[in-house]
């Protein structure tokens, strides 16, 4: 499921939403990336850029999962807001008839 996120969508998410241009060790810890995995991908020891993240299956899957979870949270919040709005409309209709 998580790897169904297209590379372009994931690239935009990394750059725009997470603010990642190059993933450094501190950011890697923040996103629970295993230190060994980070070292394995960071060959030049200069940080991991977005293209390197997209080329590594494990990192791709990890960030894609984060993206999907965030989209699900946004959808749930929208749904809850819409439900509240509908409840208010129903309440208003009931009060206007009384």
């Amino acid at each position: 499921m998580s790897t169904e996120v297209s590379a372009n969508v994931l690239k935009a998410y990394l750059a725009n939403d997470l603010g990642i241009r190059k993933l450094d060790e501190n950011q890697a810890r923040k996103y629970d990336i295993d230190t060994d995995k980070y070292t394995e991908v960071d060959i030049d020891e200069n940080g991991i850029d977005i293209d390197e993240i997209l080329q590594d299956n494990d990192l791709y899957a990890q960030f894609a999962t984060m993206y999907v979870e965030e989209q699900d949270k946004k959808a749930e919040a929208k749904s809850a807001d819409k439900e509240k709005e509908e409840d208010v409309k129903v309440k208003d209709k009931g009060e206007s008839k009384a």
Side-chain angles (χ1 to χ4, degrees):
M1 175 182 158
S2 61
T3 55
E4 291 178 10
V5 177
S6 80
N8 288 334
V9 169
L10 190 56
K11 191 173 193 173
Y13 171 70
L14 292 168
N16 300 332
D17 294 359
L18 298 181
I20 294 175
R21 298 284 184 234
K22 272 199 178 279
L23 184 69
D24 63 28
E25 283 187 72
N26 291 331
Q27 287 175 309
R29 277 190 219 106
K30 175 182 174 184
Y31 297 118
D32 295 325
I33 295 170
D34 181 73
T35 304
D36 292 336
K37 183 63 181 171
Y38 178 84
T39 305
E40 175 187 320
V41 177
D42 186 22
I43 297 168
D44 60 5
E45 297 179 4
N46 200 19
I48 302 171
D49 67 25
I50 292 176
D51 290 330
E52 291 171 317
I53 292 171
L54 297 177
Q55 291 171 1
D56 184 88
N57 290 336
D58 293 337
L59 293 178
Y60 192 105
Q62 184 169 354
F63 283 105
T65 299
M66 289 172 53
Y67 172 79
V68 169
E69 288 172 354
E70 187 171 304
Q71 295 306 307
D72 288 347
K73 286 178 188 175
K74 286 180 182 178
E76 287 174 13
K78 251 186 197 178
S79 178
D81 287 344
K82 188 173 182 176
E83 189 175 312
K84 286 179 186 176
E85 189 177 295
E86 289 175 3
D87 288 346
V88 169
K89 287 180 183 178
V90 169
K91 184 179 178 184
D92 288 346
K93 280 184 178 181
E95 289 176 357
S96 67
K97 289 183 179 181

